[in-house]
Amino acid sequence: MPQTVCTAAVNRALRAVHRPTSDGELVERFAATGDSDAFSQLVHRHGAMVLAVCRRITRHHQDAEDAFQATFLVLARRAGAVNTSRAVAGWLFGVAVNAAREARRRSARRYNRESLTATPPETGRCEPDPDFDIRAVVAEELAGLPEGYRSLVVACDLQGESQAAVARRLGLPVGTVYSRLSTARRILAERLGRRGLGAPACLVALAAFAADVEALPPVSDCPSPHVTELTEAIMRRGFAVRWKLAACALLASVAVALSGEPPKEKPIVAPAPTAAEESRLILGLGGHVRYLKSDGTEVSRLTGAEVVKAGADMPTRSLSVGLNSDVGLTTTVSEIFGPSGRIAPDGRLPLNTRKGLYMLTPGDSLVVKPAKAAAGEGALFASGNVPYIVAWSPDAKKAIGFRIKRGLFGSVYEHVLIDLAAGTTSELKVPSMHRVVDWSPDGSWFLTIRENKTWGLEGLYARERVLCKVSADGKTSRALTPTGGNGPGQSVVVESAVLSPDGTRVAYQQWTTTLAQQAKEGPVYCQGLDVVVLDLDRGTRTVVASEPGGKGSGDFLQMNTSFGVRWSPDGSRVGFLYEHREFGTPFIVAWRVGVVNTSGGKVKTVFASDKVDKTPPTALTTFDWR
């Protein structure tokens, strides 16, 4: 036994010693200390892929090598700005495409100038390639994908990395990587389809960007004027700063390192993916944020006290205890804690603090940071003016905020586009009486709910709520659900909706009413709900779950009011939140969460506040599935 324990300990130590340093760690090490060995390892790992991209786009050996050197010069200068939580290879791919395109343009202009005086010798030109235009288009569209999507395509489709390995490296559930990669492939296919390229040609073109198995060109410690000018052009265009050549000493050591054989690492056997599901239902309720497995098992919880201790300056309010505000005790208490809207794709929670918009990163050690404004030192938005976040871009760099303002004839909706990366906000133009509930993965349109209002005895009220597709510029909109009543006592009222991870389907909750007969009161309309999945391509609508109102056991009535719907990260299930009321003895008001498979099956109630808590909480702040 002692020998077995010792052997296991030695094996663990050896695995720790031979664990390869991640790209993110190498970039951070170089950015912090200027470590030339770290930079050399990055060149060795990704140089072949970068060179392949440059050659496929330029079709000229010298231009490709110039673009190759310029790409890594940009990395040397901008290492501190690289998002190391995402794949570095995807970032390099985008820079390489820009460098190669710029090198090709400069080479063409140079050729035209020289051809006016003499016939220039053509050296370094690759053999004619009939698929050159296709590859250039594929590279251009792939580089144009959001960084989070581009990184997954580069890692899985170009570098052959498994989805499980990518998930472990990025710290994401495998299902999330699968759904995002599917979305990235679909968006790329749509963009290429608009340019006349079919799937077979795209696959061939992607395969051409795989790394070339041959020696990398040397990186000179004194770049040529062409490389220097090319690097300056990329920096001006991509980062709006002037390149100052400060990397000669670094590249001298890199050139020496590249002259030898790359370091050989022992193969690492990747552990098997975790069998347990890693996605979490997130429920902000009663001042707590609960993280649940899809079967309702609570795995962790955030409290307001923990968030305040981590540095969040949460709002407070005055509470009077007595007959009125003038008689009795008055104290200051914290507002009920909860995120100010939807959870970001990277898991961060938006907070409405007394200092503006802050972002909370959960984990063993909570991190609270301001969403910094470009102007000044503070956070975005003033105290009390932080909007409720209703949608995020896939890379979590932009969000859409929502406010309700009281007008003369009722509520007026206001939407704000929040650019967290740039630290700016701007008004989002959306048609009147439309409320944004989600954002398409490619950013080209919004999912909204339009209120059709009418006058009644109680004033202006929403007769129906219609699901709509609105263009990103707010100029065009199209109804996705029918308008008009569904019969006596019923109207088409869509309360909540959300896009699937790949953007091809919508899950929404629609109110229903049931006529119930009571012995004393007579006929009573009881509210219920349907969960519907709309296929945007086929135009079909399927009811996957139903929680009708009506008579419960005995003569009491029950009603179910919809409050939220979310997709699982892999797009296979839908979770929905509703308020359940039983008008009996005792009177019950409870929150419930149901989960249903979109391909069919029974609804499973995974959370019921009246079953979990002795005193069911009533304050709801958020509902999500990440």
Side-chain angles (χ1 to χ4, degrees), residues 215-564:
L216 298 177
V219 181
S220 173
D221 57 342
C222 295
S224 67
H226 290 321
V227 174
T228 303
E229 293 173 2
L230 180 60
T231 308
E232 289 177 350
I234 300 169
M235 296 295 290
R236 283 196 300 268
R237 177 173 301 153
F239 304 103
V241 295
R242 175 76 176 176
W243 169 259
K244 295 182 179 179
L245 195 57
C248 285
L250 164 73
L251 293 178
S253 61
V254 174
V256 173
L258 287 177
S259 61
E261 290 294 324
K264 295 182 179 180
E265 299 175 344
K266 293 186 177 181
I268 303 297
V269 179
T274 305
E277 185 197 4
E278 298 179 11
S279 65
R280 297 289 180 259
L281 287 161
I282 306 172
L283 186 61
L285 194 61
H288 294 172
V289 175
R290 312 173 193 221
Y291 289 80
L292 313 173
K293 292 183 179 180
S294 63
D295 62 1
T297 304
E298 184 173 325
V299 294
S300 61
R301 183 183 296 203
L302 278 176
T303 66
E306 293 172 329
V307 175
V308 171
K309 185 177 180 181
D313 189 0
M314 302 304 292
T316 59
R317 58 186 171 91
S318 294
L319 177 66
S320 298
V321 181
L323 297 178
N324 54 53
S325 59
D326 298 323
V327 180
L329 301 175
T330 300
T331 184
T332 300
V333 299
S334 296
E335 292 281 3
I336 294 176
F337 162 69
S340 183
R342 290 188 65 178
I343 313 301
D346 57 11
R348 293 179 298 160
L349 284 67
L351 300 179
N352 177 7
T353 76
R354 290 193 292 187
K355 296 181 179 178
L357 176 61
Y358 274 60
M359 299 300 295
L360 168 66
T361 303
D364 295 334
S365 178
L366 302 182
V367 178
V368 177
K369 292 184 177 181
K372 291 185 178 180
E377 299 296 328
L380 290 168
F381 302 105
S383 176
N385 198 37
V386 177
Y388 191 83
I389 306 298
V390 295
W392 287 90
S393 62
D395 58 7
K397 292 183 179 180
K398 294 182 179 180
I400 297 174
F402 170 74
R403 299 191 189 100
I404 299 179
K405 289 191 173 183
R406 301 299 174 186
L408 182 61
F409 298 104
S411 302
V412 178
Y413 297 151
E414 179 182 81
H415 294 86
V416 182
L417 179 62
I418 308 168
D419 191 328
L420 282 82
T424 60
T425 64
S426 58
E427 181 185 0
L428 188 67
K429 297 293 185 181
V430 178
S432 176
M433 300 317 300
H434 282 252
R435 173 166 56 92
V436 174
V437 292
D438 213 342
W439 197 355
S440 67
D442 62 0
S444 64
W445 60 277
F446 304 126
L447 186 68
T448 71
I449 295 176
R450 184 188 72 214
E451 290 193 352
N452 295 339
K453 295 191 173 185
T454 188
W455 288 96
L457 295 177
E458 298 180 356
L460 193 64
Y461 72 98
R463 176 175 56 85
E464 59 185 9
R465 296 188 178 100
V466 182
L467 197 64
C468 296
K469 179 178 180 179
V470 176
S471 61
D473 59 9
K475 295 181 179 179
T476 61
S477 66
R478 177 169 63 89
L480 299 176
T481 54
T483 60
N486 285 339
Q490 295 186 345
S491 296
V492 178
V493 180
V494 177
E495 180 59 31
S496 61
V498 65
L499 278 165
S500 62
D502 61 2
T504 62
R505 293 171 294 168
V506 178
Y508 64 91
Q509 287 177 314
Q510 179 174 291
W511 289 8
T512 63
T513 52
T514 303
L515 185 63
Q517 292 285 344
Q518 257 195 330
K520 295 181 179 180
E521 287 79 4
V524 178
Y525 283 108
C526 297
Q527 183 177 316
L529 65 95
D530 285 339
V531 179
V532 185
V533 171
L534 166 64
D535 189 309
L536 294 174
D537 294 331
R538 298 185 178 92
T540 57
R541 287 182 292 275
T542 305
V543 176
V544 296
S546 184
E547 296 291 343
K551 294 186 68 173
S553 58
D555 197 40
F556 70 85
L557 300 178
Q558 64 181 18
M559 296 187 182
N560 297 307
T561 306
S562 56
F563 271 88

